[in-house]
Amino acid sequence: MRTVQNWFRDTTGGLPRTFWYLWAGTLVNRLGSFVVIFLAIYLTQVRGFSEFETGVVLGLWGAGGAVGTLTGGVLADRWGRRPTLLTAHLGAATMMLALGLARPLWLVALGALLLGVFAEGARPAFGAMMIDVVPQTDRLRAFTLNYWAINLGFASAAVLAGLAAEASYLLLFVVDAATTLGTAAIIFLKVGETRQRRDVRPGANQPDGAAPHRGGLRVALTDRVFVGFVMVNVLLALIFMQHTSMLPIAMGQDGLSPSTYGTVIAVNGVLIVVGQLFIPRLIAGRGRSNVLALAAVLVGLGFGLTAFADGAWFYALTVVIWTLGEMLNSPSNSTLIAELSPSTLRGRYQGLFSLSWSVAAFGAPVAGGFVREQFGNSTLWFGCAGIAAVAAVAHLVSGPARERRSGDLRAHESAYVEAAAPRTTGGQRTPDAAPANA
């Protein structure tokens, strides 16, 4: 019993209160994440759209997300994390209801586009806020705990959404909007602004290369190491996004009901809830590039085996395999993003990384729908396995450069903090830099 208590304390203890409010907001939001899970089924089976039309609508959601992540990243650094989060959540709740009430194809497409803008616009600000409030030494377990909350909510939502869909698809949109507003309420009532601005006076004592980064989004876009990391993630994201776009369609064509899909995909969330909290100790001290490469292999294996699935148990088995890869991939990715992001540009770097998921959210359903219609189901899933293999090799090749970049950035920022710290002169404290503005 003491061992369990010690493990629980080591896993959850010592994290800032703001982190736990963000964690609670994540859980509430994901408990109602009904629409994304069942949108493909809703569009094909309820609205009667073709696979290609469905892919286009889902792709527009991804395209909107691309705009939202970049805009949200810039706003998180310039305007602030808190107002960006509140605006994004309020907008997402509004568009969720609008999408549920839309009828013509063009209006559904427009609603999906705008929903993507607002829903994904919150992601960079949220990630930046997490990095702001959690010390570097605690980030791996903090991101793991947050990912655990995401999947606890997702697992519950998948099952509940399957039942709700059989009663009324409009109910999915209403509940999703309500939980999004609930998250906004938690942020409004409990979470303050966390952004720190470093305004350095001319002539302040700063070492070369350690001054605050300027240049905005251009800095992130010209950071070749980080952009390379984002591009590798695009490959894996293209595979992951098939579980909400082409997987429900494939299962439906095998005669499986929406509630069966909800149960099968809930395996993903349940497995992560059961095992994710043990991942930090499992991967501690291991090469991050090796962990990410292994994760890619497992993802490719799981999605590749979907080509042979023809029953609920087989689909569930494939979900188990690629979920193991996801469990290794997510915390390693999150800590690496934090270490590659200059502190003054965290929102922009988070936005650029989130763009990889938005690109996949656009490309995966469009490409997946095209491949299934033109070349068949098996070709799609074998293609996913091939893409994952390329991603695994890319992680192994680019890993050393990423670790060097991470070490250099930490050294430069530590040198800046030390140089800008208040000095004592004649009994009085003399700051090298102006106070930070929240």
Side-chain angles (χ1 to χ4, degrees), residues 36-407:
V36 173
I37 300 173
F38 280 89
L39 188 56
I41 295 176
Y42 168 72
L43 294 175
T44 54
Q45 296 187 10
V46 178
R47 302 305 312 281
F49 297 152
S50 69
E51 291 182 14
F52 181 72
E53 289 171 332
T54 297
V56 171
V57 171
L58 294 175
L60 286 172
W61 177 79
V67 175
T69 53
L70 291 179
T71 304
V74 173
L75 290 176
D77 287 336
R78 290 188 175 181
W79 190 22
R81 324 305 198 203
R82 186 171 183 268
T84 301
L85 280 173
L86 290 173
T87 301
H89 280 93
L90 292 174
T94 301
M95 294 314 305
M96 197 78 67
L97 291 175
L99 182 60
L101 296 172
R103 287 297 174 263
L105 176 59
W106 71 268
L107 195 56
V108 171
L110 178 61
L113 177 71
L114 294 177
L115 176 60
V117 172
F118 286 108
E120 296 302 305
R123 190 191 293 265
F126 187 90
M129 186 173 276
M130 290 272 290
I131 299 172
D132 289 342
V133 302
V134 178
Q136 180 182 336
T137 54
D138 294 328
R139 284 175 187 160
L140 177 59
R141 61 192 182 98
F143 281 117
T144 300
L145 285 166
N146 189 66
Y147 195 61
W148 185 83
I150 288 173
N151 284 277
L152 176 61
F154 177 81
S156 303
V159 175
L160 294 174
L163 299 175
E166 296 186 354
S168 168
Y169 272 92
L170 180 59
L171 183 61
L172 301 181
F173 294 90
V174 172
V175 173
D176 209 331
T179 55
T180 302
L181 290 175
T183 302
I186 292 174
I187 294 169
F188 180 75
L189 295 173
K190 295 296 185 180
V191 179
E193 180 58 63
T194 63
R195 180 184 56 148
Q196 297 290 319
R197 294 185 59 186
R198 294 176 179 174
D199 300 319
V200 183
R201 295 201 314 260
N205 183 27
Q206 317 168 34
D208 292 339
H213 291 75
R214 298 186 184 279
L217 188 60
R218 178 180 58 82
V219 175
L221 290 172
T222 56
D223 186 336
R224 289 181 295 177
V225 172
F226 189 77
V227 169
F229 173 56
V230 171
M231 292 176 67
V232 176
N233 194 69
V234 168
L235 297 178
L236 279 180
L238 283 169
I239 303 171
F240 274 126
M241 294 305 293
Q242 299 300 334
H243 83 280
T244 57
S245 56
M246 293 301 108
L247 181 60
I249 295 175
M251 290 182 65
Q253 291 184 347
D254 278 337
L256 301 174
S257 67
S259 60
T260 301
Y261 167 71
T263 302
V264 167
I265 205 63
V267 171
N268 168 260
V270 170
L271 186 58
I272 292 175
V273 168
V274 172
Q276 188 69 45
L277 296 182
F278 298 95
I279 292 297
R281 288 193 176 186
L282 179 64
I283 65 178
R286 301 183 185 276
R288 198 155 33 192
S289 300
N290 295 333
V291 172
L292 289 170
L294 176 60
V297 169
L298 290 171
V299 169
L301 178 61
F303 277 94
L305 286 174
T306 307
F308 304 103
D310 57 1
W313 72 269
F314 204 148
Y315 279 109
L317 176 62
T318 66
V319 170
V320 168
I321 296 172
W322 59 256
T323 297
L324 294 175
E326 183 183 1
M327 291 167 67
L328 294 174
N329 183 76
S330 180
S332 300
N333 259 359
S334 297
T335 56
L336 189 54
I337 298 165
E339 292 182 19
L340 293 176
S341 306
S343 59
T344 53
L345 298 177
R346 282 173 182 159
R348 291 171 173 85
Y349 271 68
Q350 288 284 334
L352 181 57
F353 182 80
S354 296
L355 180 63
S356 64
W357 289 100
S358 298
V359 168
F362 172 77
V366 174
F370 176 79
V371 170
R372 286 193 85 250
E373 284 189 355
Q374 299 298 319
F375 304 103
N377 187 62
S378 296
T379 301
L380 171 65
W381 304 117
F382 290 149
C384 288
I387 293 173
V390 172
V393 173
H395 273 308
L396 293 175
V397 172
S398 60
R402 292 195 301 248
E403 298 301 331
R404 288 194 298 270
R405 170 76 165 75
S406 172

